[in-house]
Amino acid sequence: WALEPVARVITGAAAGSPYASDPLARASATTLAALLYGPLVLATAGALLGAIARRVAGPRAGVAAMVAFLLSSQVGRITMYDVHPEAAYPALLLLWAWALGVGGGARTHWTPLLLAAALGMLVKEDAFLVFLPWFAWAAWDARTRRAGLASLGVGLAAYGLQLAAVSGYASGTLGPQ
């Protein structure tokens, strides 16, 4: 794979983690950061869900959606044990949706849209299962076609770096020998 050495340098995969391309996971090097990671990304997701629901159905619905999300059993389960890089999926997907204008937003917010697309596809190697259907939906819809195609492009480029970083672990050239 021609880009693997480049991806190692860019993503820090040589540092020793199969999730080294996830900037959020790389920032979780300390115990305190690891303990705060899940609650922070899930609280962010709850706030974004509340903001989108508020656009659609008003302030009470926004608060209700946020509270229901944060009190769900799955959020509780994720915050109870271990560090799960995929806990960032809801926050990044909801940031992408908010930036796209889902729920009646007036315009596309390009910086958070493309940042969420790139970071979302860098979280884990299965990120395409979460993000690509949404990117394809946005690219298919005439109102969001430009933003959807941009998200697809940025997301696939980021995913290429992710695969380059993870391929060394899959092939056995990186990690425990």
Side-chain angles (χ1 to χ4, degrees), residues 73-154:
S73 63
Q74 292 306 310
V75 168
R77 190 171 297 189
I78 290 170
T79 59
M80 291 300 288
Y81 64 95
D82 258 347
V83 175
H84 299 275
E86 65 275 10
Y89 285 164
L92 292 170
L93 187 60
L94 287 166
L95 175 61
W96 178 84
W98 171 85
L100 185 65
V102 169
R107 63 184 180 92
T108 300
H109 300 278
W110 287 96
T111 301
L113 179 93
L114 298 177
L115 185 66
L119 290 177
M121 292 294 280
L122 285 172
V123 172
K124 281 182 65 178
E125 64 278 5
D126 64 354
F128 72 93
L129 295 170
V130 176
F131 290 90
L132 282 184
W134 291 102
F135 297 166
W137 164 77
W140 184 268
D141 188 341
R143 295 169 297 168
T144 56
R145 182 161 292 134
R146 234 176 84 208
L149 290 172
S151 297
L152 272 171
V154 167

